[in-house]
Amino acid sequence: MSVSFTIKAKPYSINQAYCRLGRKKKQLRDWEKITSIRLSKHDKVLADFAAGTTSGIPFDVYKHALEVKITFLIPPKKLITKDGRISQTSTDLSNIEKLFIDLVFKQLPRDMNDAYITDLASSKRPSKDGFYYIQCSIKLVYLPLDVL
C-alpha cells in the first residue's frame, strides 16, 4: 500500500517562488513545468496506487490517511562546506517540501490531496554522483479507530 519513485530534479524554495502580488515567478513556472514532465514518467504508478490497482485497496477519504517521506539528494559541494559543515546557503528543508508536495499531488486524483498527509518525514542528503534528485514515497495508512 505504498508507492516510491525518484526523479532527477533540483528542489525549489518557496522563498523564491512568488512576487510581491502573490504571482508565481517565471522561474517557479519553469521549475513546475520541467519537474511535472519528470514526474509524469510515474503517472501510471501513482494512478495505480491511488486506485488500489496493485494493493486491492483504493484510497478512501473516510478510512485512510497518507504518510509521505521525501529525501532531497543534493550535490555534496552545495550541501557541505569545505570544512565539513552543512552549508548556510543550502535551502531550508521546510522551504522545499511544500512546492514538491503540491506538484506530486497534482498528479493524483482530486480526492487524494495533501490535506490527507498525517505524517511527513523529509531529509537532505548528499548525492553520490553530484546531481540533484528527489526521492519520494507515499504510504496509505488507516485512520486510527480511536478518533472516529
Side-chain angles (χ1 to χ4, degrees):
M1 297 191 312
S2 66
V3 64
S4 297
F5 56 90
T6 301
I7 62 167
K8 190 173 184 178
K10 183 177 180 179
Y12 199 86
S13 173
I14 195 125
N15 291 344
Q16 303 165 332
Y18 297 95
C19 299
R20 279 191 192 173
L21 300 174
R23 291 187 313 229
K24 290 181 180 180
K25 289 184 178 178
K26 181 184 181 319
Q27 294 91 333
L28 173 59
R29 291 191 308 271
D30 292 346
W31 177 83
E32 286 177 328
K33 185 177 181 180
I34 291 166
T35 307
S36 289
I37 290 168
R38 292 177 180 166
L39 272 172
S40 69
K41 294 177 180 164
H42 303 282
D43 277 353
K44 177 150 177 35
V45 174
L46 290 168
D48 287 349
F49 168 71
T53 305
T54 51
S55 68
I57 304 170
F59 179 74
D60 182 333
V61 298
Y62 297 104
K63 295 180 182 176
H64 299 123
L66 300 168
E67 291 179 359
V68 176
K69 181 173 182 357
I70 306 168
T71 303
F72 298 95
L73 298 171
I74 299 170
K77 291 180 180 181
K78 298 284 185 182
L79 183 62
I80 301 167
T81 63
K82 290 179 184 175
D83 63 351
R85 295 178 293 123
I86 297 292
S87 172
Q88 294 279 330
T89 60
S90 73
T91 308
D92 292 351
L93 196 51
S94 59
N95 293 338
I96 56 179
E97 292 170 337
K98 180 64 177 155
L99 294 173
F100 180 71
I101 289 170
D102 285 348
L103 210 53
V104 169
F105 279 83
K106 282 182 184 176
Q107 311 290 106
L108 294 168
R110 280 192 154 199
D111 62 340
M112 185 184 268
N113 66 57
D114 61 344
Y116 295 102
I117 297 173
T118 56
D119 294 278
L120 175 63
S122 58
S123 56
K124 294 189 294 189
R125 299 284 184 265
S127 65
K128 293 182 178 175
D129 63 2
F131 291 102
Y132 288 95
Y133 298 93
I134 304 173
Q135 298 173 332
C136 182
S137 66
I138 305 169
K139 183 178 179 183
L140 189 70
V141 294
Y142 285 95
L143 289 172
L145 294 175
D146 59 345
V147 298
L148 299 176

